[in-house]
Amino acid sequence: MGNGASAKNKNTANTNSQPARNQATTPRRGGNNFQEVQVRPADDHVTQDYRGTPPPLTNQQSPTHNNMAQREQGANLANQVGKRRTEAHKNSQKALEINEKNPEIGKQLKLKLSDLKSGEDIVFETFEHESGREYQCLYTGGMRFYLDDWHSKEWQPFPERWYKQGKLNTNTVSKDNQTRRGQGASTSRGGNQPQPATSSVPRNRDDREGVIDHPRRGRITTYMFNEKQYSHCYYDKESGSWLRLPIGWELHHELIKNMVDQVEEALPHWNDRLDILAALRACNYSADECISMYFHLEGDDWLKVPRTSKEAQHQADREIRLAVLEKKVRELEKDLQQEEKGRKEAEEQLNKLQEQYSTISAEAKIATTQVEAMQSSRPKTARPKTPKTSKGPPPGSLGIFSDDLDELNNKAKNLHKSHVHLKMDVERHFGTLGKMIKEALSAVSQIKHSESGQMKELEEVRALYQKEALERKLLYNQLQELRGNIRVFCRARKDTRTKCCLTFPSDQDITITSKDGSKKTFSYDKVFDTETTQDQIFEDTKAIVTSCVDGYNVCLMAYGQTGSGKTFTMMGPESNPGINIRAITELLKVCNERETVTYALKVSLVEIYNETVVDLLTADAKTVELKSAGNNIRMPNLTDHEVAEVKDIKHVMAMGDKNRTTASTKMNSTSSRSHLVLLLNVEGTDKVTGAVSRGVLTLCDLAGSERISKTEAQGQRLVEAAAINKSLSALGQVFSALRSSQLHVPYRNSKLTQILRPSLGGDAKACLFVNVSPDANNYPESCNTLDFGSNARQVALGQAKQNISKKAP
Ligand code: ADP
Ligand code: MG
């Protein structure tokens, strides 16, 4: 995927913190600076060891340091530039002569760049090839090089023929010793010498924005996001500091190796481990994301970029040749079109002439027949013996002969006149017709132009809208992140039959007192006392639930021992519904309120019993298969029902309840021994941009968390208990892995965590209710439940994802 290679490029050519695109317009020069521009001979292909051992970053090499040093040196060295340029010019002429005579020497020129003495003047330039491609060049010591950042990422000698195929834009130090950023651009066509600064080059507002021209996808907008990523370091005893782990070393790390293996196994044709690792780095060490990224881009040419400078050169040449040929083809097509037009016109003219000829010949025929008829109608005696010898018409017949002839003459004259008129008329009409066609054409082009203007405006508005929507989403996400992505609420069940052993010092604390009087206090994001209504509970979860509409995955779950009020909280009785119905009602409301987006809601209901996932929306308690797909889990044979109104969801719940009872009777289990998971898929399509957002609301009524008594610990109960214990501990492990930002989060350890995976971790928002009973007899179980909640809550507290540098081991 070339990420490894581009990483290398950053460490070598790109010493400035700006992206390479800006370097092209930023003059950089001076002594030590160019030594960071590493140049390798042509036969030194991109090998593992080269890419594997980029120079570690030290403070001395930090970009800021270089920039300052560069500025100082810039001031000192700028006044030497004039002298050096004359020298450099002579050198360049010599070098180019040699280069032309012997191409082999060209290769050696590359080596020379690394031999240049410090203090040598370096001028950075951009070369615009006629094919439309732009190259970054540097000119030093009379030699010019270009950076093949497209393929081999190396500095190559500037090909001689290119001087005729494009223009060089030079960025250099001006004479007044000032380094003018992005100002010193001048243009020289076919020249090989840097020119003084004249015109200015526009700079981008934000240099993290950019574009790349993809051969098939066209112009792609890019942006360098400033995100928190894992950075893998090793402790360097010599310098006493943590340094970046080179990509080649990293491959020997056990955990990383496993990840690369995982990706390689999934994508056997991607057989470049370094590339895989580079992609993994880019995906923040998430193998799943890396796989899905590859799947998304599979078959892309850029994923298999040429690796050697020769190949790159070859390809670059080929592409340039192709561009030239394409241009030629276009020109030829144009010529052909013109020729065809000319041919058509000629044909038209020919047709016209033929028509004229045929009318004239028809007229001539008629005239001849008339003459013949007249001649034959005359008496023989009146006819001249021969027209040539006759000196005049015979006496007596002279009047008739000349009349006929006159008449004929007149007719012929009239005919000719009308022919000339006709011709003029036709020509005149053709003239007006041509004018009209021209006008129509220009009107059409004007319409097209205005249409494209409108389209452009629409496009701009669309882009703005998209940006706003994204910003809103990001802001909301940030807000949630600040609050913690997993929020833990505690709810105490109302029970009038027993004495309450719970007290509530504040709305975030709960104290539990044992029979012997010992007290324990636990803190949560919110504690709801026994008197809290269903409505108040929902008020605090509403905000999280609605973020599902923006494309976030949201999970609400209830944890606690049997009888502590989980089902009451999640489902509730029909007269006083719990979170499920209220959340879906609210979602439907929000969806209907948003006018610019159309939403499709689909609901599924599953039960996880003894590590088997059962579809509750089918009558025959069908088992559901789980298939992993990147960060998500797919359940291909799961039934879903569309939800458009509240009554739909009630209907689905009733159906699920009925099927659950049937299934539990069949399996001889009780509902408290299984997890009930409701999945609501919310898919929104933006009417303006066409963008699709997908969020899943997962509502989970967990199985009772109590440990089983010794008397129960046998047969089916034991199996059930083991399955529940497995899944609830897996849930706890997932929380603690998320809390300590571990690279491996053990989602795969249970069916429950697999199903909840999209809603735990990452951008997802989760809300855990820990339900406790007020009965002092339940003290041990209540303590366990409260402990679980406390642990989960620290995930939220651990959300301050600062990359605090670790201490030395
Ligand atoms: P669980 O699902 O945890 O096993 P349930 O939700 O079924 O527990 O609750 C057990 C009993 O307690 C039910 O009859 C339920 O109506 C009642 N109950 C639970 N929480 C409350 C509450 N906050 N207010 C009133 N009754 C409740
Ligand atoms: Mg229950």
Side-chain angles (χ1 to χ4, degrees), residues 230-250:
Y230 290 112
S231 44
H232 208 171
C233 299
Y234 74 97
Y235 187 70
D236 183 49
K237 280 185 190 154
E238 275 174 35
S239 63
S241 56
W242 285 94
L243 301 180
R244 293 252 181 184
L245 200 59
I247 203 159
W249 292 18
E250 204 175 3

Side-chain angles (χ1 to χ4, degrees), residues 667-721:
M667 292 184 285
N668 189 23
S669 66
T670 59
S671 67
S672 66
R673 311 315 290 152
S674 62
H675 311 293
L676 180 75
V677 185
L678 183 144
L679 298 154
L680 182 77
N681 278 287
V682 182
E683 194 178 293
T685 313
D686 197 309
K687 286 179 196 163
V688 183
T689 61
V692 178
S693 69
R694 284 189 189 88
V696 184
L697 173 67
T698 312
L699 300 166
C700 182
D701 183 0
L702 295 168
S705 61
E706 67 277 4
R707 278 164 292 182
I708 58 166
S709 64
K710 274 186 191 151
T711 49
E712 280 181 314
Q714 52 189 322
Q716 193 187 354
R717 292 287 158 261
L718 191 63
V719 177
E720 275 173 0

Side-chain angles (χ1 to χ4, degrees), residues 349-470:
Q349 239 166 355
L350 191 71
N351 282 344
K352 243 190 247 168
L353 286 172
Q354 267 174 349
E355 254 173 51
Q356 278 175 2
Y357 173 75
S358 55
T359 26
I360 287 169
S361 59
E363 280 168 4
K365 245 186 202 168
I366 294 165
T368 327
T369 41
Q370 273 177 349
V371 169
E372 273 171 4
M374 271 188 277
Q375 272 182 347
S376 59
S377 66
R378 278 170 59 203
K380 247 182 184 171
T381 49
R383 276 183 229 164
K385 270 173 197 154
T386 51
K388 270 182 189 173
T389 50
S390 76
K391 298 239 159 79
S397 65
L398 182 72
I400 304 161
F401 183 57
S402 66
D403 278 355
D404 285 351
L405 224 53
D406 282 349
E407 201 185 324
L408 208 64
N409 249 353
N410 282 342
K411 266 188 187 169
K413 268 182 194 164
N414 287 342
L415 218 62
H416 182 69
K417 248 189 210 165
S418 62
H419 172 71
V420 169
H421 279 292
L422 215 63
K423 206 173 157 185
M424 270 159 67
D425 272 356
V426 167
E427 270 168 12
R428 207 177 53 242
H429 285 308
F430 264 118
T432 33
L433 204 68
K435 242 189 213 167
M436 274 158 73
I437 287 172
K438 254 186 205 165
E439 277 170 12
L441 280 178
S442 77
V444 165
S445 78
Q446 265 177 6
I447 289 168
K448 266 190 192 162
H449 200 70
S450 73
E451 239 174 40
S452 76
Q454 276 171 359
M455 288 294 281
K456 215 172 154 189
E457 252 174 51
L458 195 69
E459 234 8 85
E460 273 169 16
V461 172
R462 197 170 278 176
L464 267 177
Y465 173 80
Q466 224 162 6
K467 206 174 154 189
E468 284 300 317
L470 193 77

Side-chain angles (χ1 to χ4, degrees), residues 288 626-635 748 754 757:
D288 290 330
L626 298 191
K627 288 195 172 157
S628 96
N631 262 346
N632 273 313
I633 199 89
R634 276 194 316 119
M635 292 181 269
R748 285 167 193 269
Q754 281 179 49
R757 177 179 185 166

